[in-house]
């Protein structure tokens, strides 16, 4: 029997709450980079070792592929944290099915980034570099979401 999906906020407060739009950058031999922009901040999440990701245009889905209880809890909070770790998620199970023993060896983590225009789920085996830039003050802060902290 599969355990219930569980969402965990990653480093609460690291990414300031806001209505973010998302842009993705990826390619051969490049990391996945997620760019988020609100009226007050620009955020860059650089996934240093992504294995897989998929992107959902949230406006076109009638039903979301996430467990209702977890999804609705964070929806009521207006997804104010933006970055979440998912344990026992469907995309994680899908990836594990096709990676087999390599999945167990790599021990990847499953994240979701929520924005106004997209939901992006990422399976990664590495840390995430995060840059938070205030558009008002131009101040930049650097963070690292380390695998061992999760």
């Amino acid at each position: 029997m599969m355990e219930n999906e569980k969402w965990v906020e990653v480093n609460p407060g690291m990414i300031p709450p806001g209505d973010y739009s998302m842009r993705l950058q990826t390619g051969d031999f490049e990391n996945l980079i997620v760019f988020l922009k609100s009226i007050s901040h620009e955020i860059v999440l650089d996934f240093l070792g992504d294995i897989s990701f998929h992107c959902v245009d949230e406006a076109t889905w009638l039903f979301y592929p996430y467990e209702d209880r977890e999804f609705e809890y964070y929806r009521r909070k207006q997804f104010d944290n933006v970055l979440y770790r998912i344990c026992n998620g469907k995309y994680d199970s899908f990836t594990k099915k096709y990676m087999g023993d390599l999945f167990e060896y790599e021990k990847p983590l499953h994240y979701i980034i929520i924005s106004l225009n997209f939901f992006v789920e990422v399976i990664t085996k590495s840390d995430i570099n995060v840059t938070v830039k205030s558009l008002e003050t131009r101040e930049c802060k650097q963070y690292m979401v380390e695998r061992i902290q999760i």
Side-chain angles (χ1 to χ4, degrees):
M1 183 171 128
M2 187 174 161
E3 293 182 45
N4 289 337
E5 180 176 288
K6 176 75 176 153
W7 290 31
V8 178
E9 295 181 62
V10 175
N11 296 11
M14 175 181 68
I15 297 174
D19 293 329
Y20 290 95
S21 60
M22 182 185 301
R23 183 174 60 83
L24 303 175
Q25 175 182 306
T26 191
D28 290 341
F29 308 107
E30 292 182 15
N31 299 328
L32 170 66
I33 301 175
V34 177
F35 298 93
L36 300 168
K37 187 171 184 179
S38 72
I39 60 170
S40 60
H41 290 86
E42 289 179 340
I43 313 297
V44 178
L45 296 108
D46 187 353
F47 287 84
L48 302 175
D50 58 286
I51 293 172
S52 176
F53 72 92
H54 79 137
C55 183
V56 173
D57 179 346
E58 61 86 24
T60 60
W61 285 60
L62 295 177
F63 304 100
Y64 298 113
Y66 311 110
E67 188 172 290
D68 290 340
R69 190 190 66 177
E70 293 290 308
F71 187 80
E72 286 304 318
Y73 172 78
Y74 290 109
R75 181 195 293 230
R76 283 191 302 275
K77 289 182 60 176
Q78 299 179 333
F79 298 108
D80 60 347
N81 199 60
V82 181
L83 178 62
Y84 304 87
R85 164 107 192 280
I86 299 179
C87 300
N88 302 313
K90 292 175 187 167
Y91 187 58
D92 189 63
S93 296
F94 169 82
T95 306
K96 184 177 186 177
K97 177 181 175 181
Y98 294 101
M99 287 183 66
D101 291 340
L102 184 58
F103 190 91
E104 294 303 321
Y105 175 74
E106 296 282 351
K107 299 196 183 325
L109 299 178
H110 178 191
Y111 295 96
I112 187 166
I113 302 116
I114 304 287
S115 72
L116 290 174
N117 53 339
F118 296 112
F119 300 155
V120 173
E121 290 184 78
V122 180
I123 305 292
T124 185
K125 60 185 177 183
S126 299
D127 301 336
I128 308 167
N129 281 334
V130 180
T131 303
V132 177
K133 179 181 178 182
S134 168
L135 296 176
E136 183 180 314
T137 65
R138 302 311 231 191
E139 176 186 18
C140 282
K141 294 181 181 176
Q142 301 285 328
Y143 301 95
M144 172 88 59
V145 175
E146 297 179 24
R147 288 178 45 83
I148 59 173
Q149 293 177 343
I150 305 296

